[in-house]
Amino acid sequence: MKVLIVDDDALIREGLKILLEIEDDFQVVGTASNGHEALEMCRKEKPELVLMDIRMPVMDGVLGTKLIKSQFREIKIVILTTFKDDEYIKEALKSGAEGYILKNQPADSIIESLRTVGKGNIVLEREVANTLSSMLKESKKATPERLNISPREFEILKLVGEGLSNREIAESLNISEGTTRNYVTGLLEKLGFRDRTQLAIFFIRNCE
């Protein structure tokens, strides 16, 4: 997987580069210090995944994500930051980011998160998922009736929006993983989305 690392801290950029290049399935095609440089690098290097910091000079990670996604929908973006800021979380995901993880995670956890996103899933670090869960509980906009789905399907959709895997959803609702997979497939068909990442983003966007 071709990766672009974006962070205004040179030490962090180099550290992440070393971390990823140790792995056989990652190739770091470049680094950037802000969102503007990241956009230019995407045009030049065509990475498959961008590991994006949030707070940077010139152009922050939220705007950088929005601009990259508007021009390169196929590029996956994972927000990597030390900040647990509710508005940043919402705005980054609204802009199309596939993941939001914190820098204080162990190195192997960051690596696995990137692999998960590479397979087409959304990744939310547990503390971030809890923050989003609180946002969703406070919202009254998205309802089963409005979406024309059953209460159980809505429950599955909510858990997908919180970043849970099929296995975690199955355990949470005491149903089989196969049944969970069938529910997710049904939701994709009913709501007209391609994958669970789009399902999660849809739910977050409709629960502001």
Side-chain angles (χ1 to χ4, degrees):
M1 188 186 305
K2 295 180 179 178
V3 182
L4 171 65
I5 298 170
V6 188
D7 198 296
D8 62 332
D9 188 320
L11 185 60
I12 291 177
R13 287 198 305 271
E14 290 306 310
L16 288 170
K17 182 178 180 181
I18 293 170
L19 175 67
L20 292 177
E21 289 186 334
I22 291 174
E23 306 296 324
D24 294 335
D25 51 343
F26 290 103
Q27 176 190 357
V28 177
V29 296
T31 62
S33 62
N34 58 64
H36 177 71
E37 289 182 7
L39 180 59
E40 292 301 315
M41 289 294 292
C42 285
R43 291 170 178 157
K44 180 180 178 182
E45 300 293 342
K46 300 295 190 295
E48 297 168 86
L49 185 146
V50 176
L51 192 53
M52 179 85 76
D53 189 21
I54 279 283
R55 299 192 183 186
M56 297 178 289
V58 183
M59 183 186 293
D60 66 26
V62 173
L63 181 54
T65 295
K66 184 175 182 179
L67 292 178
I68 290 171
K69 279 294 186 178
S70 69
Q71 297 182 36
F72 307 97
R73 289 185 174 274
E74 71 280 6
I75 295 179
K76 296 177 172 63
I77 299 180
V78 174
I79 302 296
L80 178 66
T81 183
T82 57
F83 300 97
K84 292 177 291 182
D85 187 301
D86 293 359
E87 287 307 310
Y88 273 120
I89 293 170
K90 286 200 297 182
E91 289 304 314
L93 292 172
K94 280 173 60 182
S95 297
E98 280 80 12
Y100 195 118
I101 57 180
L102 301 178
K103 289 179 180 177
N104 62 3
Q105 291 188 90
D108 58 347
S109 179
I110 292 175
I111 292 293
E112 286 308 310
S113 292
L114 297 186
R115 287 186 176 129
T116 298
V117 170
K119 294 175 183 177
N121 295 312
I122 190 170
V123 170
L124 298 176
E125 194 270 340
R126 183 60 61 185
E127 291 180 65
V128 176
N130 290 339
T131 297
L132 282 175
S133 177
S134 298
M135 295 177 194
L136 299 179
K137 288 176 181 177
E138 294 171 0
S139 172
K140 297 181 180 180
K141 286 189 177 182
T143 64
E145 294 77 18
R146 184 172 69 83
L147 300 177
N148 196 29
I149 60 177
S150 70
R152 174 62 97 180
E153 287 173 320
F154 185 79
E155 192 171 17
I156 299 287
L157 176 61
K158 177 179 181 294
L159 294 174
V160 170
E162 292 176 10
L164 272 66
S165 66
N166 284 348
R167 178 177 296 180
E168 290 171 327
I169 292 173
E171 292 175 352
S172 174
L173 300 180
N174 197 28
I175 58 178
S176 72
E177 193 170 346
T179 299
T180 301
R181 190 161 44 248
N182 290 338
Y183 271 119
V184 172
T185 300
L187 284 167
L188 290 172
E189 292 176 356
K190 288 185 177 182
L191 299 178
F193 293 119
R194 184 181 64 251
D195 53 44
R196 66 189 295 120
T197 299
Q198 292 184 340
L199 276 180
I201 299 301
F202 167 79
F203 193 68
I204 293 166
R205 283 177 173 172
N206 284 272
C207 290
E208 289 184 281

